[in-house]
Amino acid sequence: MSGNAELAIKFLVVGGGIAGLACAIALRRVGHHVVVLEQYSDIDISKMLHGGIRLPPNASKVLFHWGLERALRQVSVTSSAINVEIYETGEFIGTHRWEEEVLRETGGDFLFLHAFLYDTAIAAGAEVRAGTTVVSVSGDGPRVTVVQEAIVGKDVLDAAPCQSLFYNTTVPGALMRADPQLASFFKQPVETMFIWLGNNRSAVAFRMGAKDEFALHMWVRPMQKGLSDDDCWGGGLDLKEMQRQLGECEPRLLKMAKLAATPACVQVKMILPIEDWVDEHGRMVIIGEAAHPLPAGSLQGGAMAVEDAAVLAKLFSHLRNQDQILTVLHAFQDLREDRCASVMHTEQCNLHFQMMPAGPQQERCNQEMRARTAQGGSVFGVSEASEQWEQLKELWGYDADDEADDWWAKWGLLRERAKQRLLDMEAEMNTARLRSLRVRA
Ligand SMILES: Cc1cc2nc3c(=O)[nH]c(=O)nc-3n(C[C@H](O)[C@H](O)[C@H](O)COP(=O)(O)OP(=O)(O)OC[C@H]3O[C@@H](n4cnc5c(N)ncnc54)[C@H](O)[C@@H]3O)c2cc1C
């Protein structure tokens, strides 16, 4: 448990998604009071959340640090290798192996992760009010909430055009094993992920830790128009529509799509960075998707939310008086916006790589990967001497707690001392003024 803040305050968190719940856990750990307001009831949430989620090491590291390693490992699978194949033909291009435990992704069930964060937040003493929709917020009072429109002035997601569709579904293991072609997936080690690279299309599949199921993620450029704005993570979509959107794809993918559960579908949008995360009164801040929306299905989506929570709580662990709140909220944005912008850029590049349009560039990439495999190397060419390795180390090696501690040591304490010096000077001047008044009297 981290040290408690000298001044404990009450946080109202709007939204019990990954960001909200992680925030509740992290803030409780440093002694603040937290009430989470979530629009969906517990029952709705459990009906809506399904599909798999991947957690990169920068997120699992934070959760482990919060003492959740054992529980997380029980509901997830640690990825040690990725098999790369061509979407349209199923041609095997090569394998990428993670060399160190620290650089491995964790794949699990979204509902499990959500339920697990929910239970942890409650156990840590947060209050979660499910079925409570927040309709408006005001920063002009002692309320701290997390609402994008009140700060940014518009719904940024609505305004952005749809680039592609992301489908998230699961396929029962028993049905897959009954089909000889799909049964081959089970001959691979359980830690293997599969990725298909295609012409404007891509797919990822991985085993889900706690269930005998495969998670299936797919990105497609919509055949006709995109979905209407009421597309949703909550599923209820037509499986046939998903199969139609798959286009030309290898037979195993098509079979998996036919056996899949009702999918969730979300529009993939590229959002420009949001300038202000803190409201003018310095009482509200946005975090997670609301502050830095990543393309749907991004590996780092949940991770950025968890990192945000860790940084915010670490900064608020130094709270001694109310006057610091504005500084701390701005420090949070300062600390997080470059990191999130760089992750957003990486995720956009990854998505472009995964679904590169057919043409000379795509062919060149595929040839390079085939050549690396032929030479016995890793398909992505990430060796310890490579530039990508450095990028990965930076991306996955990020330590949210260290970043916040560094900021506090470098700037927070400096500001505190400068403020204290000002107060001391003011006090000295007042004493001098009083003395001179007395002398005159
Ligand atoms: C229903 C749902 C299912 C998802 N399923 C998956 C999945 O299977 N796999 C995956 O990789 N990612 C999924 N995501 C996305 C993933 O949660 C986010 O990309 C990422 O984890 C960041 O989370 P977040 O908490 O910042 O945002 P979100 O996950 O969007 O959470 C925001 C929360 O705020 C609540 N909320 C919004 N407005 C109000 C309001 N006015 N009053 C009260 N509450 C409000 C929402 O109900 C939601 O629970 C899902 C998101 C949602 C909302």
Side-chain angles (χ1 to χ4, degrees):
M1 181 72 80
S2 310
N4 274 7
E6 251 175 64
L7 174 68
I9 58 172
K10 187 165 186 173
F11 284 81
L12 272 177
V13 178
V14 176
I18 295 191
L21 294 174
C23 207
I25 298 168
L27 288 167
R28 282 299 302 139
R29 283 173 47 83
V30 297
H32 294 294
H33 308 285
V34 185
V35 176
V36 180
L37 307 174
E38 167 55 46
Q39 62 184 346
Y40 296 121
S41 69
D42 296 344
I43 296 165
D44 286 341
I45 283 270
S46 61
K47 272 197 244 151
M48 292 180 74
L49 300 177
H50 63 112
I53 186 164
R54 293 174 295 155
L55 273 186
N58 46 310
S60 35
K61 186 186 338 184
V62 175
L63 300 177
F64 291 176
H65 182 64
W66 293 348
L68 306 175
E69 177 165 2
R70 230 178 112 227
L72 189 64
R73 287 202 191 280
Q74 275 170 2
V75 296
S76 60
V77 169
T78 301
S79 154
S80 62
I82 303 178
N83 276 9
V84 182
E85 325 207 349
I86 297 291
Y87 182 94
E88 289 81 8
T89 61
E91 175 198 342
F92 171 75
I93 293 269
T95 298
H96 175 78
R97 277 179 221 295
W98 300 121
E99 289 172 17
E100 287 180 46
E101 170 90 14
V102 72
L103 289 183
R104 286 181 184 178
E105 293 178 27
T106 312
D109 180 333
F110 193 84
L111 175 59
F112 268 104
L113 178 70
H114 189 273
F116 159 71
L117 290 177
Y118 178 94
D119 291 346
T120 310
I122 300 285
E127 184 187 338
V128 181
R129 292 187 201 158
T132 309
T133 303
V134 174
V135 288
S136 74
V137 294
S138 161
D140 189 12
R143 295 190 195 100
V144 181
T145 53
V146 188
V147 167
Q148 188 191 63
E149 268 187 71
I151 295 177
V152 186
K154 62 175 179 189
D155 184 335
V156 286
L157 263 182
D158 250 15
C162 166
Q163 308 260 338
S164 51
L165 300 177
F166 172 64
Y167 285 97
N168 187 357
T169 186
T170 53
V171 191
L175 295 183
M176 285 178 69
R177 275 191 293 271
D179 181 303
Q181 238 183 338
L182 298 183
S184 63
F185 285 108
F186 291 87
K187 297 203 176 99
Q188 303 283 337
V190 64
E191 301 91 4
T192 310
M193 273 196 200
F194 303 86
I195 180 164
W196 288 264
L197 310 175
N199 172 18
N200 285 322
R201 293 189 165 76
S202 176
V204 166
F206 55 91
R207 298 277 280 274
M208 310 225 309
K211 288 183 186 164
D212 180 24
E213 281 178 346
F214 252 86
L216 182 60
H217 291 179
M218 280 173 298
W219 294 261
V220 298
R221 291 249 190 275
M223 293 272 202
Q224 302 159 349
K225 63 177 185 61
L227 287 189
S228 64
D229 284 343
D230 57 358
D231 62 347
C232 61
W233 280 108
L237 283 150
D238 188 356
L239 195 58
K240 288 238 160 62
E241 176 57 17
M242 180 181 90
Q243 290 161 18
R244 201 179 68 80
Q245 295 283 6
L246 284 185
E248 181 196 347
C249 73
E250 68 127 319
R252 289 175 309 160
L253 262 181
L254 198 61
K255 279 187 178 172
M256 281 175 86
K258 283 188 178 152
L259 298 175
T262 308
C265 180
V266 197
Q267 297 189 16
V268 179
K269 296 180 168 190
M270 303 297 167
I271 313 282
L272 291 172
I274 294 172
E275 266 175 41
D276 296 314
W277 296 6
V278 181
D279 81 307
E280 54 179 334
H281 305 287
R283 283 294 183 271
M284 303 200 288
V285 64
I286 43 176
I287 66 167
E289 283 288 282
H292 39 73
L294 294 180
S298 291
L299 169 60
Q300 291 284 350
M304 288 301 101
V306 172
E307 282 187 7
D308 278 355
V311 169
L312 192 72
K314 194 72 183 191
L315 291 173
F316 270 100
S317 71
H318 298 289
L319 198 69
R320 281 193 295 150
N321 58 62
Q322 296 261 354
D323 295 348
Q324 291 174 304
I325 293 175
L326 178 68
T327 311
V328 170
L329 292 183
H330 281 296
F332 169 74
Q333 177 170 355
D334 274 0
L335 266 171
R336 294 295 296 152
E337 66 186 342
D338 285 353
R339 161 79 176 162
C340 294
S342 115
V343 168
M344 194 177 312
H345 176 71
T346 308
E347 290 291 352
Q348 289 173 351
C349 293
N350 286 348
L351 201 56
H352 173 72
F353 170 75
Q354 275 177 240
M355 49 195 302
M356 207 181 283
Q361 196 194 4
Q362 190 212 48
E363 201 32 52
R364 202 171 43 248
C365 281
N366 292 349
Q367 284 300 4
E368 280 170 13
M369 287 189 281
R370 287 183 189 109
R372 282 190 212 109
T373 302
Q375 285 162 11
S378 175
V379 66
F380 293 141
V382 183
S383 69
E384 288 205 28
S386 68
E387 197 184 317
Q388 289 106 309
W389 180 260
E390 285 307 313
Q391 283 169 1
L392 256 190
K393 271 206 307 203
E394 197 180 308
L395 183 66
W396 287 4
Y398 180 92
D399 190 309
D401 278 349
D402 283 356
E403 294 292 319
D405 276 341
D406 284 353
W407 183 91
W408 183 253
K410 224 185 271 170
W411 304 110
L413 285 174
L414 209 67
R415 281 182 204 208
E416 291 293 286
R417 283 187 203 123
K419 216 169 10 169
Q420 192 54 49
R421 235 173 280 136
L422 272 180
L423 288 176
D424 291 347
M425 273 163 59
E426 219 174 87
E428 275 168 30
M429 274 158 56
N430 284 342
T431 320
R433 224 177 279 143
L434 266 179
R435 261 196 225 119
S436 87
L437 281 177
R438 266 193 228 122
V439 170
R440 261 187 253 156

